[in-house]
Amino acid sequence: MIGGMGVDISSADLALEGARLGAVGHISDAMVPYLSDKYFKTRNQSSKLKLYSDLLDSEDKTGLHWDTDVVYESAKRYVQATMSRKKGRGGVFINVMEKLTMGAPKDTLQARLRGALDGGIEGVSLSAGLHNGTLKLIEDHPRFHDVNIGVIVSSARALSIFLRGAARCNRYPDYIVVEGPLAGGHLGFGMDWAKYDLRSIVQEVIALLAEEQLNIPVIPAGGIFTGADAVEYLKLGASAVQVATRFTISEECGLPRDVKQKYLLADEADVVVNLTSPTGYPMRMLSSSPSLVSNIKPNCEALGYLLDQKANCSYRQAYAETGTDADGKKLPVQGKMCICYHFMKCQCYTCGHNVFRLKDTTSRLGDGTYFLPRAEHIIEDYLRNASGSVALPLLNQPMLESSLY
């Protein structure tokens, strides 16, 4: 299973290539109105800016939220376009974040889910939140019992909470992704993440399921860098593994080519975990991320993907509290970032802990850059190389042409 990295890092091309080869590929619904604008030339963000233009100079953003019809149509359009190109026996799933609140948390989450279901998605992975009430939002949908539904958890306790809600809906998950402390992006831990380990959490989750007499596939994620790592978890009782960081440098990944090179040049000391995300979750990224030295003015009227139901966002507060230099220029905002803007611009280099090992999975070229492998090579290496080593890709493969919509 290829993890659902947003925004558009786990691109449709990457997910579809995974499915073609028999794996499960994810797309992400993070900032899906933006993705609709990017690929289908809609004007969702500019229209929202125009609608709320009277709030531009106001500190009070009360009432500012994403329209659920826009969110629904964006999700449906994005998923339909992806599924129309699907080939192969694998699956295409979508990662759905609860923390993507959009000014109307419950309503916009429901719109994203229903849009994905109506667009024909084959599976939904619920992430970034406990999702205690999420199943209720779609229990009347005709696909509620036939679509694959999974939940991403980082502890047996979080899973126990989700299972109680699932029992009330008579709809248990079809799979459980157990994400450990070495994963990329948002983490389901506090800043004490280093005292936890994936293996122990997987064992606790498997024990909980046995206690509850539930036969649900368990899929470890976070730090699984080689085929040998995958085999270790399969022997432990896992049904599959979820991997992501290895694919950030693939041809099909949605990151710009120059950003992929930054990942390849990273050393272990360049990897940091901080609290700059307005979600409140710790996030792992490269210390060279431009988002960490930014003073971008909030543009919630056009973006606002992390506004809560009262139109608050911790970056807005941090920006307001940041002073200016002697010339009156805004200083870099400390402690928080505008995740909407920097994810849209690919300026927050989220990554798994093992990103520094990527340089060992490919070859350096004569101009000093690294060769970008195809997803097919990475998948084959996971499947066929259980020795703990990594097979290097062939250097004579032609560059892929983008097959975006």
Side-chain angles (χ1 to χ4, degrees):
M1 182 178 280
I2 303 173
M5 302 171 281
V7 172
D8 205 29
I9 299 174
S10 289
S11 65
D13 283 350
L14 179 55
L16 289 166
E17 181 65 356
R20 183 184 72 83
L21 295 165
V24 171
H26 274 91
I27 53 176
S28 168
D29 81 337
M31 296 175 58
V32 73
Y34 158 70
L35 296 179
S36 178
D37 289 355
K38 177 180 178 180
Y39 292 123
F40 311 116
K41 309 306 179 187
T42 53
R43 299 181 61 82
N44 294 322
Q45 292 186 164
S46 60
S47 295
K48 181 169 175 272
L49 174 60
K50 183 177 180 180
L51 178 66
Y52 291 110
S53 59
D54 58 319
L55 297 178
L56 282 169
D57 297 320
S58 174
E59 287 299 314
D60 183 3
K61 307 292 185 182
T62 302
L64 179 57
H65 65 274
W66 273 98
D67 180 87
T68 54
D69 288 339
V70 171
V71 175
Y72 168 84
E73 290 297 337
S74 297
K76 182 180 177 182
R77 182 182 298 112
Y78 181 49
V79 170
Q80 277 183 331
T82 301
M83 299 308 298
S84 69
R85 298 193 287 131
K86 181 180 180 270
K87 298 177 182 178
R89 61 184 178 85
V92 175
F93 291 9
I94 191 167
N95 183 291
V96 178
M97 293 177 60
E98 186 175 29
K99 274 291 187 177
L100 200 71
T101 44
M102 303 177 79
K106 181 179 177 180
D107 293 340
T108 54
L109 176 58
Q110 183 180 55
R112 287 184 281 137
L113 287 164
R114 290 181 177 272
L117 292 175
D118 290 345
I121 203 68
E122 294 172 319
V124 176
S125 295
L126 303 174
S127 69
L130 293 174
H131 286 281
N132 194 29
T134 297
L135 294 177
K136 291 284 291 184
L137 301 178
I138 54 172
E139 66 176 343
D140 63 341
H141 194 280
R143 298 193 61 208
F144 183 56
H145 287 284
D146 69 72
V147 71
N148 290 291
I149 298 177
V151 63
I152 301 176
V153 299
S154 292
S155 68
R157 177 180 174 274
L159 176 60
S160 181
I161 293 170
F162 181 82
L163 290 176
R164 288 199 293 269
R168 289 193 293 271
C169 293
N170 193 30
R171 178 60 167 94
Y172 285 101
D174 299 291
Y175 59 96
I176 297 160
V177 176
V178 181
E179 193 170 82
L182 300 185
H186 291 104
L187 302 178
F189 303 88
M191 289 302 287
D192 60 349
W193 58 269
K195 73 179 187 181
Y196 299 94
D197 70 276
L198 177 59
R199 183 183 180 89
S200 297
I201 301 169
V202 168
Q203 291 174 319
E204 291 166 5
V205 165
I206 290 174
L208 172 64
L209 293 174
E211 180 182 325
E212 298 290 335
Q213 297 184 325
L214 294 172
N215 184 20
I216 303 173
V218 173
I219 304 173
I224 301 172
F225 200 75
T226 67
D229 296 335
V231 168
E232 175 186 343
Y233 286 102
L234 296 177
K235 289 180 178 178
L236 200 64
S239 298
V241 295
Q242 178 171 287
V243 293
T245 296
R246 286 278 300 273
F247 290 91
T248 58
I249 61 167
S250 68
E251 277 281 350
E252 295 87 350
C253 172
L255 286 172
R257 298 182 74 83
D258 64 320
V259 175
K260 295 175 185 179
Q261 294 296 327
K262 293 181 188 297
Y263 280 49
L264 285 157
L265 290 168
D267 294 320
E268 188 170 12
D270 299 324
V271 184
V272 297
V273 176
N274 58 44
L275 291 170
T276 58
S277 170
T279 63
Y281 285 119
M283 178 177 268
R284 178 173 280 112
M285 64 185 71
L286 294 181
S287 59
S288 58
S289 298
S291 60
L292 297 178
V293 290
S294 172
N295 60 3
I296 193 72
K297 183 179 180 180
N299 186 10
C300 301
E301 289 73 24
L303 305 176
Y305 291 98
L306 286 182
L307 291 179
D308 65 19
Q309 59 189 359
K310 295 182 179 180
N312 294 319
C313 169
S314 58
Y315 179 75
R316 283 186 57 225
Q317 180 180 349
Y319 181 86
E321 294 172 352
T322 299
T324 58
D325 62 17
D327 297 321
K329 183 180 178 181
K330 197 77 168 180
L331 295 168
V333 178
Q334 301 295 317
K336 293 297 175 186
M337 65 171 166
C338 181
I339 199 169
C340 301
Y341 176 84
H342 290 294
F343 268 36
M344 187 171 65
K345 299 295 185 181
C346 297
Q347 293 179 347
C348 179
Y349 306 151
T350 60
C351 59
H353 174 78
N354 286 321
V355 63
F356 67 95
R357 297 172 62 186
L358 287 175
K359 61 176 67 71
D360 299 324
T361 68
T362 188
S363 300
R364 201 159 195 174
L365 304 176
D367 62 359
T369 64
Y370 285 90
F371 180 77
L372 302 180
R374 290 185 180 176
E376 181 175 12
H377 165 79
I378 300 170
I379 290 173
E380 288 295 317
D381 186 56
Y382 270 109
L383 291 176
R384 305 191 185 283
N385 194 349
S387 66
S389 61
V390 174
L392 300 183
L394 298 175
L395 301 185
N396 59 353
Q397 63 184 29
M399 185 182 301
L400 290 176
E401 292 293 329
S402 175
S403 57
L404 295 177
Y405 315 103

